[in-house]
């Protein structure tokens, strides 16, 4: 089985950028997805161009920070920031999907304008089920892959993996979880993506994310001999999203 460890939130903070870089240079992370509206976007773009082997995707968001566009009222609270994710999930009937498409396009174009080639899209806070038709349309438009977080959806014509797992998270940051997920699908799956969030912890991260302390645990594991041994024991090979698309 070919396994991808995709690091979400590239650009969220300086510590996140350098943590993902460490997981790439000395660990099993070969792909990451970038937040276009993040505080450390410029640093992330610089690091990405200095490390062309690190596969970059777009981490499209409707739940973090503020939109890049100023005319997307169905996506924003009175503050001008994106709706909290619980509000977004309960407000799908009032979302304007033209606004979603325009905002996602602005995020994609900002990454491309920074001189970064994008191989795939995923979303912040796993909102794919809410906006999947928009993601599918944009993936075809830009000729990129998608995270398969809606396993039974129709991805015809869009590169993706056979499976996606969000189990490598919090208390699931263990070799046993990695092996169990792989073994559970070894007879029906050739490609599998694990979502991950390695980072060095800094003040910006602590102020922006409730998921912070676990990130250094992820980084430690993803750069350890333990993860390599776990993957070897189940015959798995680490690849990037870009490699799966070939």
């Amino acid at each position: 089985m070919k396994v991808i460890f995709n690091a979400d939130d590239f650009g969220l903070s300086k510590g996140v950028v350098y943590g993902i870089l460490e997981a790439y240079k000395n660990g099993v992370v070969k792909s990451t997805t970038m937040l276009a509206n993040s505080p450390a976007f410029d640093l992330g773009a610089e690091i990405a161009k200095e490390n062309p082997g690190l596969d970059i995707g777009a981490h499209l968001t409707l739940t973090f920070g503020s939109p890049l566009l100023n005319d997307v009222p169905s996506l924003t609270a009175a503050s001008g920031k994106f709706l909290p994710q619980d509000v977004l999930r309960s407000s799908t009937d009032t979302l304007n999907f033209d606004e979603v498409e325009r905002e996602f396009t602005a995020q994609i174009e900002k990454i491309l304008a920074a001189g970064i080639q994008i191989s795939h899209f995923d979303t912040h806070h796993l909102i794919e089920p809410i906006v999947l038709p928009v993601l599918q349309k944009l993936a075809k438009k830009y000729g990129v892959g998608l995270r398969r977080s809606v396993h039974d959806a129709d991805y015809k014509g869009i590169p993706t993996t056979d499976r996606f797992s969000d189990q490598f998270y919090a208390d699931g940051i263990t070799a046993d979880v990695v092996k169990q997920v792989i073994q559970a699908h070894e007879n029906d799956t050739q490609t599998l993506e694990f979502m991950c969030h390695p980072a060095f912890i800094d003040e910006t991260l602590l102020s922006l994310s409730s998921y912070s302390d676990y990130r250094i645990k992820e980084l430690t594991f993803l750069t350890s001999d333990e993860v390599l041994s776990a993957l070897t024991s189940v015959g798995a090979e680490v690849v990037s999203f870009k490699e799966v698309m070939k």
Side-chain angles (χ1 to χ4, degrees):
M1 188 186 297
K2 296 183 185 297
V3 175
I4 299 165
F5 286 91
N6 186 88
D8 292 12
D9 299 345
F10 194 59
L12 182 59
S13 75
K14 182 177 179 179
V16 172
V17 170
Y18 283 117
I20 292 172
L21 179 64
E22 175 71 11
Y24 162 65
K25 285 192 168 183
N26 298 300
V28 296
V29 168
K30 292 191 173 186
S31 295
T32 186
T33 40
M34 189 169 199
L35 278 165
N37 65 341
S38 56
F41 175 86
D42 290 343
L43 174 64
E46 178 184 336
I47 294 298
K49 286 183 281 190
E50 290 174 355
N51 295 273
L54 178 60
D55 176 32
I56 306 291
H59 197 52
L60 302 172
T61 184
L62 299 177
T63 58
F64 167 78
S66 300
L68 298 183
L69 303 179
N70 58 14
D71 57 345
V72 285
S74 80
L75 310 181
T76 55
S79 64
K81 293 187 176 182
F82 280 127
L83 299 170
Q85 62 170 308
D86 59 334
V87 175
L88 179 78
R89 293 182 195 280
S90 63
S91 306
T92 54
D93 291 344
T94 60
L95 284 184
N96 181 314
F97 283 86
D98 175 67
E99 292 178 9
V100 173
E101 182 177 344
R102 289 193 293 106
E103 174 60 28
F104 280 173
T105 299
Q107 293 175 25
I108 295 161
E109 290 293 337
K110 180 178 178 180
I111 297 171
L112 293 173
I116 299 169
Q117 184 176 357
I118 296 173
S119 66
H120 61 297
F121 300 155
D122 58 29
T123 66
H124 194 52
H125 293 141
L126 292 175
I127 60 168
E128 278 91 342
I130 300 172
V131 295
L132 187 59
V134 176
L135 293 171
Q136 290 170 320
K137 179 180 179 180
L138 291 174
K140 290 177 181 178
K141 175 183 176 180
Y142 286 94
V144 303
L146 277 182
R147 170 174 281 172
R148 197 185 187 96
S149 57
V150 187
H151 178 67
D152 295 328
D154 181 4
Y155 288 86
K156 185 177 181 180
I158 302 171
T160 187
T161 57
D162 296 325
R163 294 275 177 178
F164 164 76
S165 175
D166 59 1
Q167 293 175 252
F168 184 80
Y169 190 82
D171 293 336
I173 307 167
T174 69
D176 285 342
V177 165
V178 170
K179 290 189 290 186
Q180 287 166 9
V181 171
I182 293 171
Q183 289 173 324
H185 301 294
E186 60 186 353
N187 294 323
D188 62 5
T189 299
Q190 294 182 321
T191 55
L192 167 71
E193 179 194 354
F194 284 101
M195 173 184 73
C196 61
H197 302 81
F200 294 114
I201 299 172
D202 59 17
E203 290 296 327
T204 301
L205 174 60
L206 290 172
S207 70
L208 293 175
S209 175
S210 60
Y211 187 75
S212 53
D213 291 350
Y214 280 113
R215 294 184 191 239
I216 194 69
K217 182 178 180 181
E218 287 197 26
L219 178 57
T220 300
F221 179 79
L222 292 167
T223 55
S224 69
D225 291 336
E226 185 181 11
V227 67
L228 296 176
S229 297
L231 293 167
T232 299
S233 72
V234 292
E237 175 191 1
V238 175
V239 297
S240 67
F241 208 104
K242 182 167 53 179
E243 291 173 279
V244 166
M245 292 172 57
K246 291 179 180 178

